[in-house]
């Protein structure tokens, strides 16, 4: 007689300690799981709905300014420190975890036009309408009455923007001309100009650190190299640009905030037309700032909203607004890529989560695994109509909703008119011109 014996190795199914999870054997053969796709779809749908349920982006506000907030300055090495300037010349330094102001003083007569920290983070520089460039110690003095600048430089011309070199002691200011300064000198190293009235924004490239660009009042964007004695190139757009931000991960790409309610992402190697046009704002865009990852950027506008865009998409993935928030003048993205902050006309600085549904605080390993699983499901079924509809839906203020409908009707009528003209004209005389080709008027070298 034959006897068959079933033998099992306890190591295959027993836990070594009580703290470990039970071992589970799974067979991934799809024939054994005919309802797998259905289950995954339901889980993805539930995850998308829960994302919208837990979407509470507002973290808190920083209250203390007595006039509208005009500019931000981010500390290069301290995530918890933020510096802000106001219309009345006041500068405040904030401790973000406690949401308290640690320092405040009147720095300038009139608007504070720009704030930037040095590359070492031991000082910060402020500029204002009084043509003064002032250096301040980053550390709080022992006596508040001793709040005096370390150094003050009076410029020959008005100053509207400032940007510091990422690695050296050099910084640039923009006004009637573009000056290149050294922290140790009271006279500019170079004067770069290209026959424009005003340069109201300047920004150093974070990767190719010798390059910088400025937005001018004649609707142009001018590129400089601080190693050269004259500007490199000039691009004229259909309308004026208010702010420029370089992508911190891609040396060639930058985004400008424009007066025509749109943002344009350009590649410096090909400036004839933008690589992407970003829509959705219904008023002039005032500020733009990139996330440290270089994959997204945040914008502020006169339509009283803050929007977050992905660099390769034309429409925003998120819109933030409150009933009390007025025109947004300045925005910023924290260096840990988790928070954005906005300053507006009604004297408030607001902190927002970069991902509205993200849980604050420390997540346990099983929570992290669950979050990653839900994100993978949402990405897998993102194209499904029902999931896409839930994920894209956002409530917007009534004035924004009405303005979007009005702009949509105007755009449809313009397209219809151009189509009719092309239809009733001689073939080839009225070619179709895409929106990207209409943006840039000319390029000068």
């Amino acid at each position: 007689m034959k006897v068959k014996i079933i033998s099992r190795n306890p190591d295959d199914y027993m836990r070594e300690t009580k703290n470990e999870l039970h071992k589970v054997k799974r067979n991934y053969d799809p024939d054994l799981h005919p309802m797998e796709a259905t289950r995954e779809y339901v889980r993805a749908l539930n995850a998308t709905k829960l994302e919208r349920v837990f979407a509470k982006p507002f973290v808190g506000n920083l209250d203390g300014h007595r006039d509208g907030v005009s500019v931000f300055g981010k500390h290069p090495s301290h995530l918890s420190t933020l510096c802000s300037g106001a219309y009345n010349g006041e500068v405040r330094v904030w401790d973000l975890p406690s949401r308290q102001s640690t320092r405040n003083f009147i720095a300038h007569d009139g608007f504070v036009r720009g704030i930037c920290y040095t590359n070492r983070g031991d000082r910060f520089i402020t500029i204002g309408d009084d043509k003064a460039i002032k250096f301040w110690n980053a550390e709080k003095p022992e006596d508040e009455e001793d709040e005096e600048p370390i150094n003050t430089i009076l410029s020959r011309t008005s100053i509207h923007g400032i940007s510091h070199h990422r690695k050296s002691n050099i910084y640039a200011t923009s006004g009637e001309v573009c000056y290149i300064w050294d922290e140790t000198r009271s006279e500019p190293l170079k004067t770069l100009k290209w026959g424009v009235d005003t340069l109201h924004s300047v920004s150093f490239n974070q990767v190719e650190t010798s390059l910088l660009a400025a937005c001018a009042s004649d609707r142009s964007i001018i590129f400089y190299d601080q190693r050269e004695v004259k500007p490199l190139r000039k691009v004229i757009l259909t309308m004026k640009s208010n702010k420029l931000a370089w992508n911190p991960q891609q040396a060639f790409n930058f985004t400008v905030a424009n007066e025509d309610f749109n943002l344009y992402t350009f590649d410096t190697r090909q400036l004839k037309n933008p690589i992407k046009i970003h829509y959705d704002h219904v008023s002039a865009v005032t500020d733009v700032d990139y996330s440290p990852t270089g994959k997204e950027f945040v914008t502020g506008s006169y339509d009283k909203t803050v929007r977050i865009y992905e660099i390769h998409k034309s429409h925003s993935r998120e819109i933030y607004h409150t009933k009390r928030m007025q025109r947004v003048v300045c925005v910023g993205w924290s260096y840990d890529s988790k928070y954005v902050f906005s300053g507006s006309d009604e004297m408030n600085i607001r902190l927002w989560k970069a991902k509205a549904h993200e849980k604050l605080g420390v997540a346990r390993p099983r929570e992290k695994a669950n979050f990653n699983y839900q994100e993978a499901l949402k990405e897998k079924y993102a194209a499904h109509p029902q999931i896409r509809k839930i994920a894209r839906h956002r409530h917007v203020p009534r004035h924004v909703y009405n303005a979007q409908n009005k702009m949509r009707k105007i755009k449809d009528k313009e397209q219809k008119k151009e189509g009719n003209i092309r239809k009733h004209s001689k073939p080839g005389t009225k070619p179709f011109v895409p929106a990207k080709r209409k943006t840039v008027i000319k390029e000068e070298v």
Side-chain angles (χ1 to χ4, degrees):
M1 182 179 72
K2 291 183 180 180
V3 178
K4 294 183 179 179
I5 300 175
I6 299 176
S7 63
R8 294 189 180 93
N9 187 356
D11 293 336
D12 294 337
Y13 57 88
M14 293 290 290
R15 295 182 298 173
E16 291 185 5
T17 65
K18 293 182 179 180
N19 297 327
E20 293 184 0
L21 297 175
H22 287 278
K23 296 180 181 180
V24 179
K25 291 287 186 179
R26 286 198 62 188
N27 190 337
Y28 292 97
D29 185 0
D31 295 334
L32 301 177
H33 304 279
M35 303 296 290
E36 182 181 11
T38 310
R39 280 198 304 270
E40 280 192 346
Y41 168 71
V42 173
R43 288 173 183 172
L45 187 63
N46 291 338
T48 307
K49 290 178 179 178
L50 286 173
E51 176 188 314
R52 301 316 310 150
V53 168
F54 290 114
K56 307 208 180 298
F58 184 68
V59 178
N61 71 308
L62 308 178
D63 189 14
H65 278 293
R66 295 293 173 261
D67 210 338
V69 184
S70 57
V71 288
F72 287 138
K74 296 184 290 185
H75 197 288
S77 56
H78 296 169
L79 293 175
S80 60
T81 302
L82 178 69
C83 193
S84 63
Y87 294 161
N88 60 353
E90 183 187 31
V91 171
R92 282 182 177 265
V93 180
W94 303 89
D95 179 55
L96 296 181
S98 64
R99 302 177 202 166
Q100 298 295 322
S101 174
T102 57
R103 295 170 67 185
N104 67 290
F105 50 88
I106 300 297
H108 296 276
D109 296 330
F111 283 27
V112 179
R113 293 292 181 181
I115 299 175
C116 71
Y117 277 87
T118 61
N119 59 319
R120 301 177 304 279
D122 57 343
R123 299 178 182 180
F124 62 89
I125 311 169
T126 63
I127 59 171
D129 281 347
D130 54 4
K131 299 183 181 180
I133 305 172
K134 296 186 179 182
F135 291 77
W136 307 84
N137 201 330
E139 296 295 329
K140 183 179 179 180
E142 295 180 0
D143 189 357
E144 292 186 3
E145 295 180 358
D146 295 339
E147 197 72 81
E148 294 293 332
I150 301 172
N151 187 21
T152 301
I153 301 171
L154 288 177
S155 174
R156 299 189 187 94
T157 62
S158 60
I159 305 175
H160 296 281
I162 186 169
S163 180
H164 202 283
H165 195 282
R166 187 177 182 180
K167 297 178 180 178
S168 68
N169 296 333
I170 294 172
Y171 64 96
T173 60
S174 62
E176 295 177 18
V177 293
C178 180
Y179 287 125
I180 306 295
W181 304 77
D182 192 306
E183 291 179 25
T184 59
R185 299 181 61 177
S186 58
E187 292 292 329
L189 299 176
K190 290 180 183 175
T191 302
L192 304 171
K193 55 184 177 180
W194 194 330
V196 295
D197 293 335
T198 307
L199 301 169
H200 46 261
S201 174
V202 65
S203 179
F204 265 105
N205 193 322
Q206 298 299 302
V207 184
E208 292 290 339
T209 51
S210 296
L211 298 179
L212 63 155
C215 301
S217 58
D218 65 345
R219 303 170 297 164
S220 65
I221 303 169
I222 305 175
F223 299 91
Y224 306 95
D225 189 330
Q226 56 112 0
R227 299 165 295 188
E228 300 289 336
V229 294
K230 61 181 181 179
L232 299 177
R233 191 165 296 183
K234 180 178 180 180
V235 178
I236 300 177
L237 308 184
T238 52
M239 291 191 73
K240 184 169 74 79
S241 298
N242 292 319
K243 199 75 173 181
L244 182 144
W246 292 93
N247 191 319
Q249 299 295 333
Q250 299 173 3
F252 302 108
N253 294 353
F254 66 93
T255 300
V256 291
N258 205 274
E259 285 281 341
D260 63 358
F261 314 166
N262 298 331
L263 295 107
Y264 301 98
T265 298
F266 285 90
D267 189 324
T268 51
R269 297 167 293 184
Q270 209 277 346
L271 291 168
K272 291 182 179 178
N273 50 272
I275 56 178
K276 184 62 71 175
I277 302 176
H278 308 278
Y279 302 98
D280 285 347
H281 278 296
V282 295
S283 190
V285 189
T286 53
D287 201 3
V288 57
D289 190 29
Y290 266 92
S291 73
T293 61
K295 296 180 180 179
E296 295 177 321
F297 57 86
V298 61
T299 65
S301 170
Y302 262 35
D303 62 10
K304 307 176 186 178
T305 63
V306 176
R307 289 183 182 267
I308 296 177
Y309 293 83
E310 296 177 11
I311 58 172
H312 59 278
K313 292 187 178 180
S314 295
H315 296 279
S316 62
R317 73 160 174 85
E318 205 65 76
I319 175 173
Y320 297 155
H321 57 89
T322 68
K323 287 184 178 179
R324 292 186 179 183
M325 187 161 70
Q326 297 302 309
R327 296 178 298 186
V328 181
V329 181
C330 50
V331 293
W333 202 308
S334 66
Y335 284 132
D336 62 352
S337 195
K338 288 189 176 182
Y339 302 96
V340 298
F341 29 86
S342 64
S344 46
D345 274 350
E346 88 294 349
M347 305 177 286
N348 259 337
I349 299 172
R350 290 178 173 84
L351 297 177
W352 313 84
K353 289 189 284 188
K355 292 183 179 179
H357 63 280
E358 189 175 39
K359 178 188 174 183
L360 295 179
V362 179
R364 295 181 177 181
R366 294 185 70 176
E367 281 183 317
K368 288 182 181 179
N370 185 39
F371 291 154
N372 293 336
Y373 177 59
Q374 289 181 349
E375 290 295 328
L377 285 177
K378 286 185 285 187
E379 183 178 352
K380 182 177 180 179
Y381 291 93
H384 193 280
Q386 190 70 14
I387 292 178
R388 185 173 68 231
K389 179 182 176 182
I390 296 171
R392 289 180 57 188
H393 180 73
R394 297 290 184 277
H395 288 287
V396 297
R398 185 177 295 276
H399 73 276
V400 174
Y401 181 78
N402 292 336
Q404 283 179 333
N405 290 337
K406 183 179 177 181
M407 288 172 58
R408 194 176 297 114
K409 289 178 182 178
I410 292 173
K411 188 175 180 180
D412 291 341
K413 287 182 179 180
E414 289 177 351
Q415 289 179 347
K416 186 176 180 181
K417 182 179 178 181
E418 289 179 2
N420 288 338
I421 292 173
R422 195 178 306 110
K423 184 178 178 181
H424 296 285
S425 300
K426 189 177 180 180
T429 56
K430 298 288 182 180
F432 173 74
V433 181
K436 289 182 179 180
R437 297 279 179 86
K438 298 177 183 177
T439 304
V440 178
I441 296 177
K442 66 176 179 177
E443 180 181 355
E444 299 178 7
V445 180

